[in-house]
Amino acid sequence: MNNENNESLNSIPLGNMEHDNNISPVPLENSNDFNSIDETNEFINNNTEDINYVNEYDIPEPINNFNITPIFNDIGIVPPLEKNDNFSENLNENKPKKGINKTLFVIIIIISLFLVGSIVYFLLHNANSKATIITKEVSLEIGDEVSTNKNDYAIFKNVNSNNCSLDTSSVKDIKLGAKYTYKIICNNESYTGTLTVIDTKPPEVKTKKVTIGVNGNITAESFISECNDNSKKCFYKFENESKVMNHLKTPESYHVNIIVSDEAKNTTVVTVELIVSEDVPSLYLICTKDFEDYKITNKFGIVESMFNKYTNRTYEFHFDNQEEYNTFKDNNKDKEDVTYKNITGAPNYNDNNLILSINKEISYDDLNNEDDDIVPLNFGELKSFYQNKGYICKIGK
């Protein structure tokens, strides 16, 4: 091999090689024995198997602060890292756990809200759970029974009213407008309230038709057959009294309004019929007599000192007890005519005295048939006739 070929051979880079001093170089017996670079290379490869050399590389610092240094192979390439479980765990440990932190934050907020809500509920519940009894201003409608329901007298908060007692012993001799005290007693504590007697209901009234002579005298009460009110007292007046007085001057049939009121000023207005007639007397001979079952009152019409054959009779019955009176009244409620002990006529009730009055007109023929005698028409003779039969007679309107 010539010098040119030697220079070519020497120019082949072999890298930085550190030779082992204990290995002797392989001499080339004859450089001219190689005809080409390929033969030269083949020779080198076949005779350098025992040569130890070390590649010198610049070693980089550890990557990403992990205690792992890359290892290079003989040709200067960093091979892929083998799977290392400890390495993965280190990565997971050092990786920020954002999802877990958010979840923990939400849980803390929820727990905090629950605790705050529980505290508020506890405070409110304790405030509302305090036992409280508030007495009422109680009103008692006159005529009604005194209530025994404790809830009508007080408001019970967090208290069972069944564990309390009611004392209304002071509510007696009930009068309209009167005030009484009552007591609610719970757990040995007494709560006092006031009960007031009131009347808010107007009277219930039944009326009757009235016939009167020209220029006769009449009152509003003459049209009332029955008045029921819890106060037991009724008052009557014409809605327009002057107009009624004018009606009395002219024979005609009229409708008149009457105002009925009670002690509490509750009122009701009723319309009645007024008949003004020339045939109706302005004076009466009034004769009364007590019989075994009733009292009779006869009103005989008198015109110019003569009996005009008009008679109005009232039968008055006294009941012995309230139950009998109420039973009869209830059984004949709203009836225009009733029958009691064979007497039939228009009823009128007096609740205070348990009296039933039955009113009816008696014809002149009926009078004659009753006594089997002729009833005189002269005023003086008529008065003597009935006085002799035990009647008490007087002049009236």
Side-chain angles (χ1 to χ4, degrees), residues 169-354:
S169 59
S170 66
V171 185
K172 54 187 178 181
D173 299 327
I174 296 174
K175 297 179 180 179
L176 180 63
K179 293 182 179 295
Y180 306 88
T181 58
Y182 66 87
K183 294 181 180 179
I184 298 287
I185 302 171
C186 292
N187 298 324
N188 297 323
E189 291 191 26
S190 180
Y191 304 85
T192 303
T194 303
L195 180 148
T196 304
V197 180
I198 61 172
D199 182 8
T200 62
K201 300 177 180 178
E204 296 180 358
V205 183
K206 290 184 178 181
T207 63
K208 61 184 178 181
K209 178 176 63 177
V210 172
T211 302
I212 193 170
V214 177
N215 295 321
N217 292 323
I218 197 170
T219 63
E221 189 174 357
S222 302
F223 295 86
I224 307 301
S225 62
E226 183 180 346
C227 182
N228 295 318
D229 187 76
N230 290 330
S231 68
K232 306 300 182 183
K233 291 184 179 181
C234 295
F235 306 93
Y236 318 97
K237 68 177 181 179
F238 292 114
E239 189 175 64
N240 191 334
E241 186 172 2
S242 60
K243 188 175 181 179
V244 174
M245 295 302 105
N246 287 330
H247 292 336
L248 296 175
K249 297 176 182 179
T250 306
E252 189 64 71
S253 177
Y254 304 94
H255 287 94
V256 176
N257 289 336
I258 296 176
I259 300 173
V260 184
S261 60
D262 58 16
E263 285 187 298
K265 308 302 181 184
N266 300 304
T267 62
T268 185
V269 178
V270 294
T271 301
V272 297
E273 185 179 1
L274 168 64
I275 299 175
V276 180
S277 173
E278 292 178 338
D279 299 328
V280 176
S282 58
L283 291 176
Y284 292 91
L285 175 64
I286 303 173
C287 301
T288 62
K289 181 181 179 179
D290 289 327
F291 292 83
E292 183 178 356
D293 294 331
Y294 47 77
K295 180 173 78 171
I296 288 180
T297 300
N298 290 319
K299 294 178 67 176
F300 303 106
I302 304 299
V303 178
E304 295 179 356
S305 299
M306 296 295 291
F307 176 36
N308 71 347
K309 300 182 179 181
Y310 173 83
T311 302
N312 181 276
R313 177 176 291 177
T314 300
Y315 295 86
E316 191 173 281
F317 300 91
H318 290 259
F319 287 81
D320 294 332
N321 58 74
Q322 185 76 48
E323 183 179 359
E324 182 184 0
Y325 174 83
N326 290 338
T327 299
F328 178 85
K329 185 178 179 180
D330 292 341
N331 291 339
N332 294 276
K333 186 178 181 180
D334 299 328
K335 290 183 178 180
E336 293 184 0
D337 290 319
V338 300
T339 299
Y340 186 69
K341 293 187 176 182
N342 297 321
I343 304 298
T344 301
N348 188 19
Y349 299 94
N350 184 330
D351 295 336
N352 293 331
N353 298 314
L354 305 181

Side-chain angles (χ1 to χ4, degrees), residues 63-91:
I63 300 174
N64 293 332
N65 294 323
F66 291 106
N67 192 20
I68 300 172
T69 301
I71 300 174
F72 292 85
N73 59 15
D74 292 342
I75 60 174
I77 298 175
V78 179
L81 295 174
E82 294 182 359
K83 183 176 181 180
N84 187 326
D85 292 338
N86 293 331
F87 175 72
S88 298
E89 290 177 1
N90 290 334
L91 287 176

